Amino acid sequence: MSRRHVRLSNQLGDLAAALERVEALDASAAPLIGTIRRFLIPRLTDPPPPLVVAVVGSTGAGKSTLVNSLAGSAVSKPGVLRPTTNESVVWTSIAHAERMWPGKVIADDHPLAESVALIDTPDLDSDVVEHSRRAMEALAVADAVMFVTTSSRYGDAAPWEVLKAVAGKPLVVVVNRLQTRASGARNDLTARLRGLGLGSVPVLTISEQRIDPDRGRLSHQSVQRLAGVLKEWASASPTLRAEALEGAVDDLANGLGSLLEGLEDRAARAARAAKEVTAAYEAGREEIEAIATHEPQPRKPQPRKRWWQPRGKPEIQTLSSRAVDVVDRAASTAAIALERNGFESSPDLQTASKRTVSELSRQLVGAVNLAGEAPDRAMLRRILDEDQQRFSDKLVLLPDGVLERLHNGADFIGDLDWRSV
């Protein structure tokens, strides 16, 4: 790796590290991290990476069987139960096995694997959210896409949304398990592709056939045309990789811009909410101070006689009730402040506040009052401090310096020209 590549790799690594510090606050950081660590940084290493092809499609479309057939061996385990593939499986050469891949790696000395890496992905349309997430991770690091469907599944909505998303990458569509009576499916599928502006995308068909359960793959003749497409892509891999890199950098720049906008908005909302929560509890502390020192709060016009005299049990009961109200009111005001600024005042937080008020009421109206004592100032302050902290913990602010690092990274990505790398 050249010095320049080392420097670029380090800069990208720093940006990924900054994104990892905000991933818990904003889930949109996760795909950006994947693009950097699994796609961009490996492109700077030697030897040059193979052309990466993501194999995606509907549940039960036969993606694993196709990968096994192209590899000539059992790379990815097909099966009757759906969905079969739970994690991405990467078929690549031994020379590239140690790269950072989005899934389990199967290294092979097959000639095709020297120039093409296939990623067999989980399905795009099952009820398991993790499956579609892993498939999208593979798409993010792919230079090209093999979309596998069947004559009965090609109309599903989810896969077509993916086709729209990968329209900028080389694409081949495979209609697998095509039955004789479904001969019109290919024409309909081609018409739909034209409607998306993908009329030039090759559409290959593989007829329904019996698969030897011991081999778990199709005949060599069945995938010969598909292997030909992959070889054509491999021969043009420098150009295709360069185009994929430019697209990935553009997507990363746009993603960083949106992320920064969201994080800055969150930071502003958190600062407003924190200020309001602090004000609510500061007001509570002032009231507690007045209660603990027996200073009356402003009320309706009353005679100048001090309202808490004579001292005795009724007076203590009144002071205790007021103390409970202060804590309850501070918590309610803080909860409203969170929700007004877009932060959830979760049920566990509200339950904790109610428990605090309940416990305070028990202490003040119960044992404390039996001794005829006024509410304890230190105890009330501690209760308010702990309650305020519970609300403040919901306003997780950005780590120091991370916004600046992300802005610097965005500027770096915006100025990066991968054609000169």
Side-chain angles (χ1 to χ4, degrees):
M1 196 187 317
S2 69
R3 289 183 179 180
R4 186 179 182 214
H5 284 184
V6 170
R7 186 174 67 255
L8 289 174
S9 181
N10 290 338
Q11 288 176 296
L12 287 168
D14 289 343
L15 176 56
L19 288 167
E20 286 162 351
R21 297 190 69 186
V22 302
E23 187 177 3
L25 299 180
D26 194 320
S28 66
L32 304 182
I33 296 167
T35 296
I36 294 171
R37 294 208 181 278
R38 296 195 180 101
F39 187 78
L40 296 181
I41 291 179
R43 262 53 179 184
L44 299 171
T45 60
D46 294 320
L51 189 78
V52 181
V53 180
V55 183
V56 299
S58 306
T59 305
K63 301 184 296 297
S64 299
T65 299
L66 278 179
V67 171
N68 292 343
S69 303
L70 289 165
S73 60
V75 173
S76 194
K77 184 179 180 181
V80 177
L81 297 178
R82 304 294 179 225
T84 302
T85 304
N86 296 315
E87 66 173 332
S88 294
V89 178
V90 183
W91 178 66
T92 188
S93 67
I94 296 172
H96 297 109
E98 298 303 318
R99 291 182 181 276
M100 184 175 286
W101 294 105
K104 177 183 176 182
V105 176
I106 302 297
D108 199 347
D109 58 1
H110 192 287
L112 183 61
E114 295 296 326
S115 55
V116 175
L118 297 180
I119 306 179
D120 181 22
T121 66
D123 53 282
L124 292 165
D125 54 359
S126 81
D127 295 331
V128 185
V129 176
E130 187 69 12
H131 285 189
S132 59
R133 186 186 69 79
R134 288 173 178 166
M136 295 306 291
E137 281 182 353
L139 284 169
V141 304
D143 300 306
V145 179
M146 182 195 305
F147 177 72
V148 184
T149 187
T150 65
S151 57
S152 61
R153 302 299 302 271
Y154 74 89
D156 294 351
W160 283 94
E161 290 301 316
V162 174
L163 286 180
K164 294 177 186 177
V166 302
K169 296 184 178 183
L171 173 69
V172 61
V173 176
V174 180
V175 184
N176 195 22
R177 298 173 180 164
L178 184 66
Q179 300 175 357
T180 304
R181 62 178 180 274
S183 56
R186 187 184 189 282
N187 295 333
D188 186 31
L189 176 59
T190 302
R192 292 192 183 209
L193 287 169
R194 283 198 300 269
L196 287 178
L198 301 173
S200 61
V201 170
V203 178
L204 308 182
T205 58
I206 298 177
S207 301
E208 177 78 24
Q209 56 192 277
R210 180 180 176 80
I211 300 175
D212 185 343
D214 294 329
R215 290 165 54 86
R217 56 183 187 268
L218 303 169
S219 66
H220 174 72
Q221 291 76 14
S222 297
V223 295
Q224 194 168 9
R225 290 176 61 204
L226 181 56
V229 171
L230 296 178
K231 290 175 182 177
E232 287 179 14
W233 283 350
S235 65
S237 61
T239 300
L240 297 183
R241 279 200 296 263
E243 292 174 352
L245 279 168
E246 288 187 48
V249 171
D250 287 343
D251 291 343
L252 178 59
N254 293 332
L256 276 172
S258 299
L259 176 66
L260 279 167
E261 184 178 344
L263 290 175
E264 288 172 338
D265 174 68
R266 178 192 173 90
R269 289 187 289 106
R272 287 196 302 269
K275 186 176 180 180
E276 293 175 27
V277 168
T278 299
Y281 279 93
E282 284 297 332
R285 289 186 188 91
E286 290 178 5
E287 289 190 67
I288 289 298
E289 190 73 19
I291 292 172
T293 55
H294 290 199
E295 294 177 5
Q297 296 296 297
R299 292 173 176 269
K300 294 179 181 179
Q302 296 180 13
R304 294 186 62 82
K305 179 182 178 182
R306 293 185 174 181
W307 63 272
W308 63 79
Q309 294 178 344
R311 292 187 179 183
K313 208 167 184 179
E315 172 215 342
I316 298 300
Q317 186 79 20
T318 301
L319 295 176
S320 300
S321 297
R322 281 184 58 197
V324 171
D325 290 342
V326 168
V327 176
D328 193 19
R329 184 163 59 254
S332 298
T333 304
I336 292 171
L338 259 64
E339 292 170 357
R340 180 168 51 243
N341 287 284
F343 296 93
E344 182 182 1
S345 178
S346 58
D348 63 313
L349 182 63
Q350 296 175 33
T351 299
S353 295
K354 290 178 180 178
R355 190 181 301 116
T356 297
V357 171
S358 176
E359 177 63 17
L360 177 61
S361 178
R362 185 190 67 77
Q363 290 183 46
L364 294 181
V365 181
V368 173
N369 288 338
L370 290 177
E373 300 172 354
D376 180 78
R377 186 186 312 180
M379 179 188 71
L380 293 172
R381 283 175 177 170
R382 176 179 55 76
I383 287 172
L384 285 172
D385 289 345
E386 292 175 354
D387 218 20
Q388 179 180 353
Q389 189 60 49
R390 277 195 283 267
F391 283 96
S392 297
D393 288 344
K394 293 293 181 180
L395 303 171
V396 180
L397 301 177
L398 296 175
D400 290 340
V402 73
L403 265 181
E404 182 181 359
R405 290 176 63 189
L406 290 176
H407 275 292
N408 291 339
D411 292 340
F412 155 66
I413 291 296
D415 295 337
L416 187 59
D417 182 3
W418 276 95
R419 291 169 294 184
S420 64
V421 173

